[in-house]
Amino acid sequence: MVIPLGECAARPPQDGRSYPLIAHLEAVARGCGDPHGDLPARLSYLGGLLHDAGKAAERWQKEMLAGKQDLPLHSWIGAYLYAYTVRRILEAGHAGPLGGSPRGPQAPRPVSPGVAAWVVRTILDVADHHSVLGDVDGLRAPWKAHWNDQVWFEMDLNGLRDLVRQHLPDFPELPTAEELASRQEKYSMERLWHQWTRAAAQSTRAQVTDQARSVLRLPTARLIAADRCDAAGITEQELSPAEAASALRCLEEALAAKQRKAWGTPQQTIAEMRARVAERVARRFEGLAPDQRVVALELPTGLGKTLLGLRLALWSAAQRRARRVVYVAPYLSILSQAAKEIQEVTGLGVLEHHHLSALKAPPFSQAGHEDLTLESWQAPVVATTFNQFVRGLFPATAQQSMRLAALQRAFIIIDEPQIMEPGTWNLMLSFLGAAIADLDSRLLLMSATMPPLAALGGPLARFDAGEKPLDRFVLRSLAGHMDISALAAEAFNQVRAGHSTAVILNTIKDTVLVFEACQHLAGRDPAVLLCLHGAMTPLHKHHQIEKIRRALEEGRAALVVSTQAIEAGVDLSFRRIYRARPVLPSVVQAAGRANRHAEGGPAPVYVFDFRRGSQDTRPFVYRNAVAREVTDALLPASLEIGEAESYARVNAYFKEFFARSPAEGDIQRLAAAAAGQWTQLAQVKVFDDTLAGQEVAVFVPWGARIMPEYVRAAMEGFGLRDPEDLYRHYVTPGWMAKLDFSARKRFMALLLQFVVPLSFKVARRVAAPDEERSIWRLADINTYSDTVGLGGVLAKEEETQIW
């Protein structure tokens, strides 16, 4: 039986409300294109009208209304109808730029490579709109594996034909069921798919800029965002000019209050410099031409880059040049701190998006749709990590592509970009440089140590402080080397002398061994002694950072032994820093934690070669030999330089490093993606994750005493008493299956607060293996230490982790 299209539903009724399929198709079409625009816009509109056409099939309707979860795949139906209609458009001579001059009802002239790539991508968008975004397979059309002749006779094709005619009256009519089921037509369409994909592959010959623009998945993002948001009833959340102007006034008042608070204190000098620099940069920025889209802000640490970047973003939004602010940072420690500060000084709701953010109900979300609010970045201000941002640029799944739609007319702030892998950095710059105009967005890059920006390939405005740094620190590259005992003694003597001190090492094992040596020296000494590294749960790391912050704010001499986790973006200030030799940008980032607010005279930052016994552990982390060689040439033993010279040497480092190691391999992924191998981009990684695929997540039932309020609230929401209860529910057969998608996502985010990633070798020894689950439980809770987490375990192992 054929169900009339007007009676078909897009989804089951809920709370007395129905969801007509026609209304859904029309809403998605409006989000994808324009029925009165040029041909590409009209074809995009057609894609929206047909994307869920398969839901009109009788079986799909009946099973949907019966409440079945595993519904028949319907996306291939819309993809085939769309491809068939485009073919008829070409044959009818409506092609215009798609097929050259009209040729009447005959085979169209071969399309250009760029146009063929566009047509193929649109067909795949419809086919993949509920799944992963796959590669182009010229030998296997996206409908081939799911083909079913009978489905065409179970649909109201007349109703669909009328719907298309209503909106696009000059387009050829949809085919009949008999035509669609014809074996001859099916084979003809498969040959045409092969022709289109073969033509699309030729687009790899284009320049990098054209390749980047050709793989920008903005049409995909519009389709998916329109589909998901209409289905969930999620409305667009933007930053209006009036809201931006109001938030800007609040920000300026907060900055003025901070400056007044610093008067008469040791921080007055840096506060005055911060105000001068901010005003100078703001005036220059406001004088830029409206079409200047990319700005680099190179300021020493501690000069308020985050709030200055926010000021520029709000001004742009108030001038109608942006509709959303997207702040991007490398680590959660930076991100959470920045998000909290942005909210406090502007009064705007900030949507945080990272792997743990499902625990916090996002602002502007509707009950039951928190996950879609997060994925679609529907908020005036979004704060997200490098990982989530890169997945938005190069989505692996249809759902992730919604972030790209949110980047349209956005003011994008990328903080501390030098931490990104060089190959990914160049790839992202090449892509953004080409795509930013199509997105109608603005891009602000902020760092004290900015890597080369040549890959942007377009006009760039660069702003610096405009005056000499205060020389808050002095870098001293020590001769010889230090071992565990010598370093512990040196650092502890500094604390005994009243100097807050940070010791930053390259590996977890080094960090724990030096920390334990400091503990031995301390004995019953009441000095504040803290450890921080990646073998702690996220809950524990957050707790440790807050303890460090409180100790420093209270003026207590603290000794912190840490990995690079403390190095970038964390607003902590020490009087002494000891840094095991890394690469030069990391040295200067670490130095940014020394005398950060110019509380006193220049603070010494000692850079030294560390030896664990006779072993140099630097290559475990900094594997690039060129990076190490360039660092050692620019930072030789016995060198002593001030803050200003350190920035000059970082610039020299980047120039030499990229000249010797251009890291262009990832850029070749653009050509592969332009040729149809999209998964080449979807596999891009932000950081060097040599252990990826070799790690096991280990649950640690520790931390009930230190849970922040949002974690406690999440526990109570699931009716959980403690971490042990949390894991018991996780392993209870069938319990997770009872949760809907949003609840399951929140539960997993809660679980991850208590997880430490370990190598398979170590996890197998300390945890209870579970072949059915991806998260194992720590076998003995006594293995986890209040001071070093699972670092004590790793200190007895061969090198396995670095963070």
Side-chain angles (χ1 to χ4, degrees):
M1 181 184 74
V2 173
I3 301 174
L5 185 64
E7 297 177 13
C8 291
R11 54 182 292 209
Q14 187 175 12
D15 300 326
R17 180 185 171 189
S18 61
Y19 299 91
L21 180 57
I22 288 178
H24 177 63
L25 297 178
E26 290 175 329
V28 175
R30 289 193 297 271
C32 293
D34 181 356
H36 307 294
D38 58 14
L39 186 59
R42 300 174 75 210
L43 287 176
S44 294
Y45 190 91
L46 176 66
L49 280 180
L50 296 177
H51 83 287
D52 267 352
K55 288 184 175 182
E58 177 191 11
R59 182 184 165 202
W60 195 95
Q61 287 291 309
K62 287 183 176 180
E63 293 189 9
M64 177 270 297
L65 292 172
K68 291 190 177 181
Q69 297 295 316
D70 190 17
L71 295 172
L73 183 68
H74 67 275
S75 56
W76 70 271
I77 299 170
Y80 188 79
L81 283 173
Y82 180 81
Y84 201 108
T85 307
V86 170
R87 171 192 175 183
R88 285 193 164 189
I89 290 171
L90 298 176
E91 291 174 344
H94 289 272
L98 285 179
S101 59
R103 303 180 68 199
Q106 53 185 304
R109 180 178 301 170
V111 297
S112 69
V115 170
W118 181 83
V119 171
V120 167
R121 182 54 41 79
T122 305
I123 295 170
L124 286 176
D125 286 346
V126 176
D128 294 340
H129 78 272
H130 283 297
S131 60
V132 299
L133 300 177
D135 292 334
V136 176
D137 185 346
L139 300 178
R140 193 177 183 86
W143 52 80
K144 187 172 183 178
H146 314 288
W147 187 264
N148 176 9
D149 290 341
Q150 189 59 35
V151 75
W152 306 116
F153 299 94
E154 298 174 355
M155 296 174 58
D156 181 11
L157 290 174
N158 289 330
L160 281 169
R161 187 179 297 116
D162 291 341
L163 179 65
V164 173
R165 187 189 299 121
Q166 175 188 343
H167 293 276
L168 300 161
D170 63 331
F171 273 18
E173 292 191 343
L174 293 182
T176 65
E178 288 75 15
E179 289 173 313
L180 289 167
S182 163
R183 179 176 298 182
Q184 181 179 351
E185 288 299 307
K186 178 187 172 186
Y187 290 156
S188 176
M189 287 297 297
E190 288 178 3
R191 287 197 302 273
L192 186 60
W193 173 256
H194 178 61
Q195 292 170 16
W196 281 344
T197 55
R198 188 169 54 185
Q202 296 177 20
S203 63
T204 56
R205 300 171 186 172
Q207 297 297 315
V208 168
T209 299
D210 294 329
Q211 290 171 353
R213 295 185 69 180
S214 74
V215 299
L216 177 65
R217 300 295 297 252
L218 194 52
T220 311
R222 288 173 180 154
L223 171 66
I224 307 306
D227 178 54
R228 305 295 198 274
C229 292
D230 179 70
I234 295 176
T235 56
E236 187 80 21
Q237 298 291 333
E238 299 183 356
L239 183 60
S240 71
E243 289 171 328
S246 175
L248 182 57
R249 288 192 295 271
C250 291
L251 171 61
E252 290 171 343
E253 290 169 3
L255 292 173
K258 281 188 175 185
Q259 187 174 1
R260 289 193 298 270
K261 187 177 179 180
W263 287 346
T265 72
Q267 296 185 16
Q268 180 173 341
T269 301
I270 191 71
E272 290 174 341
M273 181 179 181
R274 189 181 296 127
R276 288 194 307 272
V277 170
E279 196 62 27
R280 185 182 301 119
V281 169
R283 295 289 81 80
R284 287 187 61 196
F285 180 82
E286 292 167 9
L288 292 175
D291 60 352
Q292 176 62 64
R293 296 181 178 277
V294 185
V295 173
L297 182 59
E298 301 172 73
L299 296 182
T301 57
L303 285 190
K305 289 191 297 293
T306 301
L307 293 185
L308 177 53
L310 179 63
R311 178 178 174 180
L312 305 183
L314 292 174
W315 182 86
S316 298
Q319 298 298 310
R320 303 179 185 276
R321 297 181 186 178
R323 66 180 181 121
R324 177 176 290 118
V325 178
V326 178
Y327 171 81
V328 189
Y331 310 130
L332 288 187
S333 55
I334 303 176
L335 183 69
S336 297
Q337 176 181 302
K340 181 181 178 182
E341 189 172 27
I342 290 170
Q343 190 159 325
E344 287 175 349
V345 299
T346 65
L348 295 171
V350 180
L351 186 152
E352 287 187 54
H353 188 207
H354 46 76
H355 72 290
L356 298 177
S357 56
L359 281 185
K360 301 179 182 178
F364 321 108
S365 65
Q366 299 179 9
H369 297 299
E370 292 85 356
D371 56 306
L372 277 177
T373 302
L374 285 172
E375 286 288 357
S376 61
W377 288 355
Q378 286 308 310
V381 181
V382 177
T384 191
T385 58
F386 282 5
N387 280 321
Q388 301 294 349
F389 181 71
V390 168
R391 282 287 65 79
L393 296 181
F394 311 129
T397 66
Q399 193 94 327
Q400 291 171 346
S401 73
M402 291 193 294
R403 306 171 200 175
L404 190 59
L407 291 180
Q408 194 159 20
R409 294 195 62 240
F411 193 104
I412 304 165
I413 302 171
I414 299 182
D415 202 356
E416 308 289 6
Q418 77 287 344
I419 295 173
M420 196 174 293
E421 282 295 296
T424 303
W425 169 245
N426 274 339
L427 170 63
M428 190 180 73
L429 281 189
S430 298
F431 185 79
L432 282 175
I436 208 80
D438 286 359
L439 290 167
D440 191 19
S441 299
R442 268 72 185 166
L443 176 64
L444 175 64
L445 304 161
M446 305 191 307
S447 179
T449 55
M450 189 73 72
L453 302 174
L456 276 166
L460 168 72
R462 303 188 80 128
F463 297 157
D464 56 24
E467 56 185 277
K468 184 181 178 183
L470 294 174
D471 270 342
R472 291 164 293 175
F473 60 82
V474 56
L475 278 180
R476 294 174 181 165
S477 181
L478 303 180
H481 68 266
M482 282 199 276
D483 60 14
I484 294 169
S485 57
L487 177 58
E490 179 76 16
F492 202 76
N493 285 337
Q494 295 288 358
V495 176
R496 280 180 172 152
H499 306 303
S500 59
T501 302
V503 176
I504 305 176
L505 294 130
N506 290 327
T507 75
I508 291 176
K509 185 170 182 175
D510 293 341
T511 300
V512 173
L513 292 175
V514 171
F515 177 78
E516 289 175 343
C518 290
Q519 278 185 314
H520 179 73
L521 290 173
R524 297 181 180 276
D525 194 303
V528 178
L529 181 58
L530 294 164
C531 189
L532 183 68
H533 54 71
M536 295 172 166
T537 66
L539 205 64
H540 197 178
K541 284 186 282 188
H542 174 77
H543 180 66
Q544 292 293 91
I545 290 173
E546 289 307 307
K547 285 173 69 175
I548 296 167
R549 194 187 313 279
R550 285 196 301 272
L552 296 177
E553 288 175 351
E554 293 167 5
R556 291 183 286 162
L559 174 55
V560 177
V561 185
S562 174
T563 58
Q564 303 91 320
I566 204 172
E567 197 167 84
V570 181
D571 189 10
L572 301 173
S573 182
F574 297 89
R575 286 302 306 167
R576 300 286 188 274
I577 289 183
Y578 288 82
R579 182 59 170 99
R581 186 177 295 270
V583 294
L584 193 52
S586 292
V587 172
V588 179
Q589 287 295 324
R593 304 324 111 193
N595 193 26
R596 186 173 176 84
H597 305 294
E599 301 97 326
V605 176
Y606 302 102
V607 181
F608 59 95
D609 291 328
F610 179 77
R611 295 290 184 273
R612 187 200 308 150
S614 61
Q615 191 172 39
D616 178 7
T617 58
R618 179 166 68 149
F620 292 151
V621 180
Y622 301 100
R623 300 180 179 91
N624 190 302
V626 173
R628 298 196 303 268
E629 290 169 10
V630 175
T631 294
D632 295 344
L634 290 168
L635 200 64
S638 303
L639 177 73
E640 182 171 313
I641 57 175
E643 182 173 357
E645 176 62 19
S646 72
Y647 297 129
R649 295 206 174 216
V650 168
N651 290 334
Y653 165 90
F654 280 129
K655 183 177 180 180
E656 178 68 13
F657 172 75
F658 277 87
R660 292 177 57 185
S661 180
E664 293 178 347
D666 275 358
I667 293 185
Q668 302 307 313
R669 293 177 183 268
L670 283 178
Q677 302 303 304
W678 173 257
T679 52
Q680 287 290 311
L681 288 177
Q683 295 167 2
V684 167
K685 303 293 184 183
V686 174
F687 301 116
D688 180 9
D689 56 353
T690 304
L691 291 174
Q694 305 174 38
E695 291 183 340
V696 176
V698 175
F699 181 85
V700 180
W702 178 95
R705 295 179 295 102
I706 64 170
M707 291 189 296
E709 183 54 39
Y710 69 90
V711 174
R712 292 186 188 279
M715 293 278 284
E716 292 171 2
F718 285 107
L720 304 172
R721 297 185 301 276
D722 52 36
E724 289 281 13
D725 199 22
L726 171 64
Y727 194 76
R728 276 196 297 272
H729 279 70
Y730 171 65
V731 298
T732 298
W735 190 83
M736 291 275 288
K738 296 177 183 177
L739 302 177
D740 62 29
F741 178 79
S742 296
R744 192 157 55 246
K745 196 168 183 178
R746 289 196 304 276
F747 183 83
M748 290 305 299
L750 179 59
L751 201 68
L752 290 175
Q753 288 280 357
F754 300 88
V755 159
V756 175
L758 295 175
S759 71
F760 180 79
K761 173 187 172 184
V762 177
R764 188 173 53 183
R765 189 169 66 78
V766 302
D770 189 337
E771 294 182 359
E772 297 181 3
R773 294 173 179 84
S774 59
I775 300 177
W776 300 355
R777 185 196 181 282
L778 189 67
D780 181 2
I781 187 58
N782 293 319
T783 309
Y784 194 86
S785 163
D786 291 4
T787 54
V788 298
L790 287 177
V793 172
L794 296 183
K796 300 172 184 176
E797 299 285 335
E798 295 179 5
E799 220 63 52
T800 55
Q801 300 184 13
I802 63 173
W803 290 97

